[in-house]
Amino acid sequence: LAKTTQPISMDSYEGQEVNITCSHNNIATNDYITWYQQFPSQGPRFIIQGYKTKVTNEVASLFIPADRKSSTLSLPRVSLSDTAVYYCLVGDNRDDKIIFGKGTRLHILP
Amino acid sequence: GAGVSQSPRYKVAKRGQDVALRCDPISGHVSLFWYQQALGQGPEFLTYFQNEAQLDKSGLPSDRFFAERPEGSVSTLKIQRTQQEDSAVYLCASSLEWARVAGETQYFGPGTRLLVL
């Protein structure tokens, strides 16, 4: 499984757009990029997954450049309830395990 | 429908005690995972079941840890002779089909917080 690197923590304010970038220099051809969100005292929750270019759902957008060596999770107009840890993962459809790393602690301020 | 449930939510054990943690996956989900999450860290893989078969137990930290899923639904993680370093949140996750990082979402329970004194 390719390793990922993401910031340890980020602060932002309510109503702002937040972008969290993840580096995955050794991503393999068959790997997908997946983001999970974890609130305090809860298990992680799937947010979004993509392979290339851009993916958007009701929660977030995921931007993946052509070289796929990084990706950016974009959260539009965050609120206090978006305070959580965000995990970036890469892997392909042969991988059974999820390797989470430490994630990015996002703290939204009023 | 109901999500993944775990019980108990909190467990305090004295060092040396045995504990059993239960996971009820989403009905019909084939794959079941156990993770251990230390304070301030991401979840770490412990073991994986497909139906009743334990296909990977490479993450279990010692032979004091044992997991089972005898009928392919409910799973139990057992820790024998608990030690202080076993204190952590134990998360269970399930997925509908053969679990893959790509394309298949894992659904997590709320976890069991274990404190060993």
Side-chain angles (χ1 to χ4, degrees):
Chain A
L1 293 172
K3 289 187 177 179
T4 62
T5 303
Q6 52 184 123
I8 296 294
S9 65
M10 293 179 66
D11 289 340
S12 188
Y13 292 93
E14 281 192 293
Q16 299 292 307
E17 178 184 80
V18 171
N19 296 310
I20 306 175
T21 297
C22 178
S23 297
H24 26 80
N25 292 320
N26 297 322
I27 191 169
T29 302
N30 295 328
D31 284 344
Y32 281 71
I33 299 154
T34 308
W35 287 80
Y36 276 75
Q37 173 191 56
Q38 186 176 23
F39 296 116
S41 300
Q42 295 186 25
R45 180 178 74 122
F46 171 89
I47 302 178
I48 197 166
Q49 183 178 82
Y51 184 79
K52 62 180 180 179
T53 62
K54 177 184 175 181
V55 178
T56 297
N57 62 22
E58 66 277 6
V59 176
S61 295
L62 179 59
F63 298 92
I64 306 168
D67 67 5
R68 304 199 329 122
K69 293 184 182 299
S70 67
S71 59
T72 299
L73 174 73
S74 181
L75 304 173
R77 296 182 301 281
V78 293
S79 64
L80 294 176
S81 62
D82 292 314
T83 293
V85 179
Y86 292 82
Y87 297 97
C88 167
L89 321 164
V90 296
D92 66 19
N93 60 9
R94 297 166 299 176
D95 295 320
D96 299 332
K97 307 172 189 177
I98 294 182
I99 297 178
F100 279 90
K102 293 186 178 182
T104 297
R105 293 185 174 277
L106 176 64
H107 187 205
I108 304 302
L109 304 167
Chain B
V4 177
S5 61
Q6 294 185 244
S7 61
R9 290 294 312 276
Y10 303 92
K11 177 69 178 177
V12 179
K14 292 182 179 178
R15 190 161 57 98
Q17 256 186 319
D18 296 348
V19 298
L21 312 180
R22 178 187 169 107
C23 173
D24 285 79
I26 295 173
S27 178
H29 276 198
V30 168
S31 298
L32 185 145
F33 297 78
W34 283 97
Y35 295 85
Q36 181 189 58
Q37 186 169 26
L39 191 63
Q41 305 294 315
E44 293 193 0
F45 171 83
L46 293 177
T47 187
Y48 160 59
F49 291 85
Q50 186 184 16
N51 295 308
E52 69 278 6
Q54 189 175 19
L55 298 186
D56 188 341
K57 53 182 180 179
S58 62
L60 296 176
S62 77
D63 58 7
R64 296 186 295 104
F65 287 71
F66 172 76
E68 61 183 4
R69 194 186 184 197
E71 298 179 359
S73 55
V74 172
S75 177
T76 303
L77 176 67
K78 297 179 180 178
I79 309 174
Q80 297 177 326
R81 305 181 303 283
T82 52
Q83 303 295 313
Q84 287 184 323
E85 61 263 28
D86 300 334
S87 296
V89 175
Y90 291 86
L91 294 163
C92 174
S94 69
S95 63
L96 184 58
E97 296 177 344
W98 177 272
R100 304 183 294 270
V101 175
E104 191 62 57
T105 301
Q106 291 192 15
Y107 296 87
F108 284 79
T112 294
R113 185 176 297 274
L114 173 65
L115 176 62
V116 181
L117 302 176

